[in-house]
Amino acid sequence: MLSAVPPPAFRPPTADEVAAAANRTIPDLVGPGLRVLFSGINPSLYSAATGHHFARPGNRFWPALHRAGFTPALLHPSEQGTLPGLGLGITNVVARATARADELSPAELVAGGRLLTQLVTTWQPRYLAVLGVTAYRAAFGRPKARIGPQEETVGGVPVWVLPNPSGLNAHFDLQGLSTEYARLRHAVSDPPADRPEGDRP
């Protein structure tokens, strides 16, 4: 199963509503005491049309999150409001919605990295998880970054780079995504260690 059954109140957007969502934004899911703040690259048009993160059909964020053990049940994107109660939050490197992530300019990604640093500095989650190694490299000037825990911090917070859960990412199937997400979940479950100083962009 790649998606949960939507609640009765959920209405999928029409094609016109999706097309009209270009450049729209979705509010962040943030707050104090987060174990992990997940950062996507930027919202899809479908997500922006619904107001829910990772809502595009075929996106594997929610199934991977559940299979990795972060959520007790497979959540529908419209149930995203339950995440902060589990110590989880969602944001994006770039706020504006596009049809594809490759429509973002390098300058937008760098500017988004600065804004994400400010957000993380304010809320201080235990981990920042960036969902997409290419976006992480561009936004934070880390051309050699790989999937997994990073040596550098962002806003004083440890960073873990995870694969992009988009259905367009053919390098990882759902099992591969779930395995990588589970590595972070196990790290989060371990007793907290002293945070490294690292670079603080």
Side-chain angles (χ1 to χ4, degrees), residues 3 10 24 32 34 46 65 68 84 93 95 113-115 137 140 147 150 153 156 158 161 163 171 180 190:
S3 61
F10 177 77
R24 208 176 283 175
L34 295 180
Y46 191 99
L65 204 66
V93 176
R114 293 194 193 102
L115 291 174
R137 290 169 181 165
F140 294 98
I147 297 292
Q150 305 301 301
T153 64
V161 175
H171 297 291
E180 292 297 333
D190 290 339

Side-chain angles (χ1 to χ4, degrees), residues 48-77:
T50 65
H52 307 310
H53 294 276
F54 304 107
R56 181 179 177 177
N59 191 292
R60 299 162 297 174
F61 174 77
W62 298 99
L65 204 66
H66 175 51
R67 290 193 179 194
F70 279 110
T71 60
L74 176 58
L75 300 177
H76 185 265

Side-chain angles (χ1 to χ4, degrees), residues 14-88:
T14 65
D16 287 342
E17 288 171 333
V18 171
N23 300 318
R24 208 176 283 175
T25 62
I26 305 174
D28 293 328
L29 281 173
V30 293
L34 295 180
R35 296 184 297 148
V36 181
L37 176 60
F38 293 95
S39 178
I41 301 171
N42 76 310
S44 68
L45 298 184
Y46 191 99
S47 290
T50 65
H52 307 310
H53 294 276
F54 304 107
R56 181 179 177 177
N59 191 292
R60 299 162 297 174
F61 174 77
W62 298 99
L65 204 66
H66 175 51
R67 290 193 179 194
F70 279 110
T71 60
L74 176 58
L75 300 177
H76 185 265
S78 63
E79 299 173 299
Q80 64 183 20
T82 63
L83 287 187
L86 299 172
L88 308 173

